[in-house]
């Protein structure tokens, strides 16, 4: 992994909610335009780790960190950092669609408008491109000014991705995005991720090992130690992680599917 320029570099990173240590000494390079999957048992800090990459965790409660997280060489925990810009560049897609009660068009244009005024023709273009990138343009081009909340749940989820893409993020973070989605929508989002893979860095958390295997270039395996502090056990190419026999290190009940895949290889 070290030969590729990392989009995100995490160095000796420890994380605390108040005084409780949640993650300990995590170091990982996340290469640009690659897909990293994060797996590990419940409660080992996967979501916390993801939220640390664009400083969303500190919106919840008081936090403390040690070490560094760099986004293209810049330490994101520096005091001078522009958090709005950071969160546009490293953008979170939530598992439950969180669209605004506005039209489809206004949802997609929302983040772009926040950055600054643009003529309508330019906004139209941005909206069209984002919807095309999210593979939704044909579905919604004749109803752009209809309420976004009238879309199906699966369409809303893809519209959230279009909204994120409109502001041209460099990194997308997805935490258990597929949980609760029907297989058709899941399949469409997987296809979308496949289309975006050459242009974006994607980090996703999933318990679905088949999906991790299909989608990710690298897999980071977290666990928690005897003090219940999350640690990065290993990171390697997904094929390598899956090829190894991990059964002694993973609590099978927490990662359904991995054992099956490992046994079938
Ligand atoms: P995972 O996503 O791997 O299931 P989380 O990152 O959600 O794990 O949680 C890791 C630990 O951090 C858990 O012990 C959880 O209770 C704790 N935790 C998560 N969010 C908060 C919070 N906002 N405040 C305090 N503790 C939290
Ligand atoms: Mg989680």
């Amino acid at each position: 992994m070290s030969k590729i320029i990392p989009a995100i570099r995490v160095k000796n990173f420890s994380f605390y909610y108040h005084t409780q240590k949640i993650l300990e000494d995590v170091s990982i390079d996340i290469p640009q335009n690659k897909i990293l999957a994060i797996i590990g048992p419940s409660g080992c800090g996967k979501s916390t780790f993801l939220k640390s990459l664009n400083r969303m965790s500190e919106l919840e409660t008081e936090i403390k960190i040690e070490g560094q997280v760099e986004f293209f060489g810049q330490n994101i925990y520096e005091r001078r950092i522009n958090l709005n810009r950071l969160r546009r560049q490293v953008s979170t897609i939530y598992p439950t669609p969180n669209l605004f009660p506005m039209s489809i068009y206004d949802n997609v244009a929302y983040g772009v408008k926040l950055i600054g005024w643009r003529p309508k023709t330019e906004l139209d273009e941005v909206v069209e491109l984002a919807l095309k990138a999210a593979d939704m343009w044909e579905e919604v081009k004749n109803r752009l000014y209809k309420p976004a909340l009238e879309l199906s749940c699966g369409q809303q989820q893809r519209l959230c991705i279009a909204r994120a893409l409109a502001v041209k993020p460099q990194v997308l973070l997805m935490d258990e995005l597929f949980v609760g989605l029907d297989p058709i929508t899941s399949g469409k989002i997987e296809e979308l991720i496949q289309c975006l893979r050459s242009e974006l860095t994607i980090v996703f958390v999933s318990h679905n090992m088949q999906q991790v295997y299909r989608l990710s270039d690298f897999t980071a395996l977290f666990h928690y130690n005897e003090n219940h502090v999350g640690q990065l056990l290993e990171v390697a190419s997904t094929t390598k992680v899956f090829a190894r026999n991990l059964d002694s290190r993973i609590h099978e009940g927490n990662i359904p599917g991995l054992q099956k895949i490992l046994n079938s290889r």
Side-chain angles (χ1 to χ4, degrees), residues 41-48 50-51 175-176 205 207:
S42 294
C44 71
K46 303 178 299 297
S47 298
T48 302
L50 214 60
K51 285 185 257 181
D175 194 353
E176 304 202 32
V205 174
H207 286 271

Side-chain angles (χ1 to χ4, degrees), residues 16-34:
Y16 303 74
Y17 279 122
H18 300 283
T19 53
Q20 195 193 350
K21 198 181 227 182
I22 306 293
L23 291 168
E24 183 170 78
D25 201 23
V26 177
S27 293
I28 183 172
D29 281 355
I30 305 178
Q32 195 180 352
N33 299 349
K34 296 285 174 196

Side-chain angles (χ1 to χ4, degrees), residues 85-151:
R85 191 192 301 151
L86 172 72
R87 289 169 188 155
R88 278 199 301 272
Q89 290 170 324
V90 183
S91 181
T92 307
I93 310 284
Y94 293 94
T96 321
N98 58 347
L99 293 170
F100 307 119
M102 311 170 173
S103 68
I104 293 171
Y105 182 101
D106 284 337
N107 265 283
V108 181
Y110 186 83
V112 185
K113 284 183 183 167
L114 281 185
I115 301 171
W117 184 86
R118 294 208 199 186
K120 171 89 167 71
T121 46
E122 226 178 88
L123 272 184
D124 288 351
E125 205 176 314
V126 170
V127 169
E128 182 173 338
L129 282 176
L131 287 167
K132 280 182 172 161
D135 199 19
M136 281 196 85
W137 176 245
E138 290 304 322
E139 275 167 78
V140 299
K141 67 178 181 190
N142 295 323
R143 49 192 293 201
L144 289 177
Y145 300 99
K146 293 262 162 67
L149 297 176
E150 284 178 7
L151 294 170

